Amino acid sequence: MLEGIMIGLSAALSIQNLLMVIAGCLIGTFIGMLPGLGPMSIIAIMIPVAITLGDPTAALILLAGVYYGAIFGGSTSSILLNAPGVAGTVATSFDGYPMARKGQAGKALTIAAVASFAGGTIGAILLMIFAPALSSVALLFHSAEYFALMVVGLSAIAAFAGTGQVAKALMMTILGLILATVGEGALFNMPRFTLGMMDLQSGISFITLAMAMFALPEALFLVLNPSRGANSEDGASNKITGLRFSREEAKAMAPVIGRQSVQGFFIGVLPGAGATIASFLGYAVERNLAKGDEQAEFGKGSVKGLAAPETANNAACTGSFVPLLTLGIPGSGTTAILLGALIALNVTPGPRLMTDTPEVFWAVIISMFIGNLVLLILNLPLIPYIAKILSIPRNYLIPFILFFTLMGAYIGQNNATELLILVGLGVMATIFRFADYPLAPLLIGFILGTMLEDNFARSMQLYRGLDFILERPMTLGLLVLAAILVLLPSYRARRARKRAEGVADGD
Amino acid sequence: MTLDRWIALVFITFCCAYGYLAFFTMDQLLPPFMQRNPVWPSTFPKILAILGIIVGLIVLLGLEKTSATAEPSATEINYRRLHEYKLGQALMLLALMVAYALALRPIGFLLATTVFLTGGSAILGERKWHIMIPVAMIATGFVWYLVQEVLGIFLRPFPFFMGI
């Protein structure tokens, strides 16, 4: 491992890559603060830039920096405006916004930054320990296991969608898989489902899909409902002063940060769980652990209540890199987009990443440390200035958000039809959002679709049929696990309902 | 019927059409040597179409019970309040995006983008033309320079009749 760290250090500490981290963090913070552009949209916009760099290490470092910056920027707008740009920072606003209303905006931002830093750093250390171990196990996997593993990942994403949402999430996953079959795949060398249209020959670009699923609906919602994220008058004019917090507060925060970085990390590793669940769970756990006065303080500007979700969501973001880097299977929308970027750069993430291109693997991990440091020492003092962006009138902001969405899709393909596809899919995604369908499963299904079919076809060819399911115990075990994951939520709901009915009858 | 069930119905119809293509139109085109393979290009789509119809039916028939339907909060977006929202503005912006997509090639990046940014602000109710137009022009020029010179991706700057 030490050797790996040295390789990573030497790659990450080159002038170019240091600049990438700094630029990524700044751009991420800057855009992440805007309402309507979450980390997924920002990373999608940055992908053409990253691909033009040509060097996979630099590209991945840039994108990871953008990711961290965006999460940090999201926390900033949660704290200052009570307008979380991302679901992962909603819990931050519970205590961050009350604190800012009390005139302690500066302190709240510092606490958020320190907690994020600690969460991210501890997460990166855990990643360094667990990723190599998981990689060595994953090297034993064959295409049959990969196929099964992807099915498990997709099922887990659906299973974590929440009560009553599992079928909807599955539906979105299948739609994503269906969209992935459009175009001429490498596998069969024949166009499928292009309906005779030339522009569909190369399939739907994942950047277009990502923009259509996340950036466009959010921008349209901003137009539809001006009260969404529009209370900027009182927030942006708040003077951000007094960035320090006291020693007692630091003492109160320390155990929270310790617990939440570990808990957040492991939640982040699970596919489909990610930063949102980690932050809410972290908040709930810390509120239950707190006693008396401290518990009453939650929701009114508690230091612990702010530190918990901030630590947890950053640790979870780091944790979500584990399945991406070791198995090549993304567990969240953001890592799915990163996977798409890596494939475009000719890097195949997976267990062989560590042995084939160790410099990529370790440079990314080292750049996580550097990125967290940059956020803490460079971004924090700049926040009062960056926050000025929040006072840009929405009449100017929204056309620009729409324009960047269009550009992101256009630059990658240089094809105007792509823009029409973007608008069409964007309208579809907006309707899905209205009906409460989760969209991340769609994107993950789309990105995994090709690989899923690939591995399925390879195992079918190898075993001349479906025998591989029975002949490989690990494959069978994983597929059974996938079935359990999908069926368990509805089974438990049914049992709970039966029990409730039984009680009613007994009375 | 609620919106999510309508979507499920549309999805099932879509899966049927997709399944029809996979089951009945794809295999005839297959060269004989590929027919001896255990997997055909249509195998995976067939599985997906069947799974899609099953899952769509589960949503459509409401087989998966939702827990207590929480009242959506006022700040969250909700289609039942669509008439209270600025639907006209959103539709006009979408139309503007389509127009931009169609105009980008013929009239060139610089003009199309300036018009798009100015038009977007105008749709949202901004009327300070003396600010909107310069802002749009500067931003357009800056983005074009960035994409063309820094990233090295060609964007046709001027209308088609001007050569380049």
Side-chain angles (χ1 to χ4, degrees):
Chain A
M1 194 159 87
L2 206 62
E3 192 188 350
I5 296 173
M6 293 317 285
I7 299 174
L9 270 176
S10 63
L13 286 180
S14 74
I15 305 271
Q16 185 205 5
N17 289 345
L18 275 179
L19 280 175
M20 286 299 149
V21 180
I22 296 173
C25 285
L26 280 177
I27 296 171
T29 315
F30 209 65
I31 313 181
M33 227 183 253
L34 297 175
L37 288 176
M40 285 188 246
S41 328
I42 305 166
I43 293 176
I45 293 174
M46 292 301 291
I47 281 175
V49 181
I51 290 174
T52 335
L53 286 173
D55 171 13
T57 313
L60 202 55
I61 287 175
L62 177 73
L63 293 177
V66 170
Y67 185 20
Y68 280 109
I71 302 267
F72 185 68
S75 316
T76 309
S77 57
S78 293
I79 290 170
L80 294 180
L81 304 181
N82 200 16
V86 217
T89 60
V90 171
T92 304
S93 63
F94 295 165
D95 278 293
Y97 185 59
M99 214 184 255
R101 290 300 292 266
K102 282 196 252 169
Q104 299 173 325
K107 191 172 91 178
L109 286 170
T110 315
I111 291 174
V114 171
S116 308
F117 171 74
T121 314
I122 297 173
I125 294 172
L126 292 172
L127 177 63
M128 266 164 61
I129 298 168
F130 284 99
L134 197 57
S135 273
S136 51
V137 176
L139 275 175
L140 302 172
F141 288 4
H142 286 246
S143 46
E145 278 85 42
Y146 268 108
F147 163 71
L149 209 56
M150 285 176 200
V151 176
V152 171
L154 292 174
S155 322
I157 289 158
F160 280 113
T163 34
Q165 290 280 73
V166 179
K168 283 180 174 179
L170 277 179
M171 204 174 116
M172 290 294 101
T173 314
I174 292 172
L175 183 58
L177 292 172
I178 288 179
L179 289 178
T181 59
V182 174
E184 191 165 347
L187 197 56
F188 296 109
N189 243 333
M190 65 179 266
R192 294 188 293 177
F193 306 106
T194 56
L195 308 173
M197 280 186 269
M198 272 305 278
D199 290 309
L200 284 179
Q201 199 90 339
S202 56
I204 299 164
S205 130
F206 86 94
I207 300 180
T208 309
L209 195 70
M211 292 293 192
M213 291 301 121
F214 300 104
L216 205 54
E218 202 51 56
L220 285 179
F221 282 172
L222 281 176
V223 178
L224 286 170
N225 190 1
S227 67
R228 200 180 166 85
N231 41 357
S232 48
E233 290 79 19
D234 62 324
S237 58
N238 269 353
K239 266 272 187 324
I240 301 165
T241 47
L243 290 172
R244 301 208 169 172
F245 53 84
S246 69
R247 184 170 290 190
E248 286 76 47
E249 285 164 333
K251 242 181 216 162
M253 264 161 59
V256 174
I257 288 177
R259 276 193 295 270
Q260 289 314 316
S261 30
V262 178
Q263 185 188 321
F265 176 81
F266 285 108
I267 296 174
V269 173
L270 298 175
T276 312
I277 293 180
S279 61
F280 278 105
L281 200 64
Y283 187 82
V285 165
E286 289 307 326
R287 190 175 50 195
N288 288 339
L289 283 178
K291 291 184 187 70
D293 287 349
E294 277 187 334
Q295 193 166 28
E297 186 72 5
F298 270 72
K300 294 176 193 139
S302 155
V303 176
K304 285 185 166 185
L306 175 59
E310 270 304 292
T311 313
N313 79 22
N314 266 53
C317 288
T318 316
S320 68
F321 275 84
V322 172
L324 175 71
L325 292 175
T326 56
L327 304 172
I329 297 176
S332 66
T334 319
T335 42
I337 294 178
L338 284 176
L339 175 63
L342 281 174
I343 293 172
L345 285 160
N346 276 332
V347 176
T348 324
R352 301 195 60 86
L353 181 72
M354 273 186 71
T355 43
D356 291 354
T357 43
E359 70 280 3
V360 175
F361 181 84
W362 289 104
V364 170
I365 293 183
I366 298 296
S367 72
M368 285 176 179
F369 290 110
I370 302 173
N372 280 305
L373 205 62
V374 167
L375 282 180
L376 190 66
I377 58 177
L378 193 70
N379 277 21
L380 193 58
L382 287 176
I383 280 291
Y385 307 100
I386 301 181
K388 290 266 188 300
I389 195 173
L390 291 171
S391 51
I392 296 178
R394 61 189 284 280
N395 289 352
Y396 290 92
L397 198 56
I398 291 171
F400 273 95
I401 294 178
L402 291 175
F403 168 63
F404 284 127
T405 313
L406 288 167
M407 274 331 272
Y410 186 74
I411 292 179
Q413 303 281 310
N414 227 332
N415 179 352
T417 321
E418 206 67 28
L419 299 182
L420 297 177
I421 298 176
L422 169 78
V423 176
L425 287 174
V427 172
M428 186 182 87
T430 313
I431 297 172
F432 281 149
R433 281 279 297 268
F434 271 129
D436 226 5
Y437 278 86
L439 290 172
L442 197 161
L443 188 70
I444 300 172
F446 178 78
I447 290 181
L448 281 184
T450 325
M451 293 197 286
L452 188 68
E453 186 178 8
D454 230 32
N455 284 306
F456 173 69
R458 218 172 296 155
S459 1
M460 285 279 277
Q461 259 152 5
L462 219 57
Y463 285 83
R464 308 290 313 162
L466 283 169
D467 293 349
F468 67 89
I469 295 178
L470 297 173
E471 280 179 34
R472 299 191 70 92
M474 195 144 64
T475 310
L476 184 65
L478 285 168
L479 288 175
V480 170
L481 176 67
I484 292 174
L485 277 172
V486 172
L487 296 176
L488 195 63
S490 64
Y491 170 73
R492 281 176 58 184
R494 199 165 293 242
R495 216 178 54 175
R497 213 168 39 245
K498 277 250 173 68
R499 199 176 291 160
E501 277 168 9
V503 170
D505 287 346
D507 283 347
Chain B
M1 204 158 88
T2 48
L3 181 63
D4 48 348
R5 290 192 178 183
W6 278 111
I7 291 177
L9 188 64
V10 173
F11 179 71
I12 292 170
T13 322
F14 170 76
C15 281
C16 287
Y18 180 80
Y20 173 80
L21 286 177
F23 275 99
F24 300 110
T25 64
M26 281 173 76
D27 295 338
Q28 287 95 315
L29 304 168
L30 210 61
F33 74 92
M34 275 177 86
Q35 291 187 3
R36 297 182 48 199
N37 270 345
V39 231
W40 294 359
S42 63
T43 312
F44 198 60
K46 281 175 188 162
I47 300 173
L48 287 179
I50 295 168
L51 282 178
I53 292 171
I54 295 172
V55 174
L57 281 173
I58 292 177
V59 178
L60 180 66
L61 302 175
L63 292 182
E64 186 195 6
K65 291 284 182 296
T66 46
S67 53
T69 38
E71 198 57 33
S73 71
T75 47
E76 234 352 90
I77 206 93
N78 182 354
Y79 70 93
R80 289 193 182 83
R81 292 170 52 214
L82 200 58
H83 55 280
E84 296 169 30
Y85 296 146
K86 305 204 161 163
L87 194 58
Q89 281 187 359
L91 292 176
M92 260 148 69
L93 280 174
L94 283 174
L96 187 68
M97 287 172 82
V98 172
Y100 180 72
L102 296 175
L104 191 56
R105 280 292 165 99
I107 70 169
F109 179 80
L110 293 179
L111 187 59
T113 307
T114 311
V115 171
F116 176 81
L117 290 175
T118 320
S121 313
I123 289 173
L124 290 167
E126 192 68 40
R127 288 294 173 269
K128 294 178 194 142
W129 300 99
H130 62 284
I131 302 178
M132 285 151 70
I133 295 173
V135 164
M137 284 170 75
I138 294 168
T140 305
F142 182 67
V143 170
W144 180 78
Y145 177 79
L146 216 62
V147 173
Q148 175 91 20
E149 301 298 324
V150 181
L151 292 182
I153 297 168
F154 176 69
L155 284 177
R156 188 216 298 267
F158 302 114
F160 64 99
F161 50 80
M162 286 176 69
I164 326 172

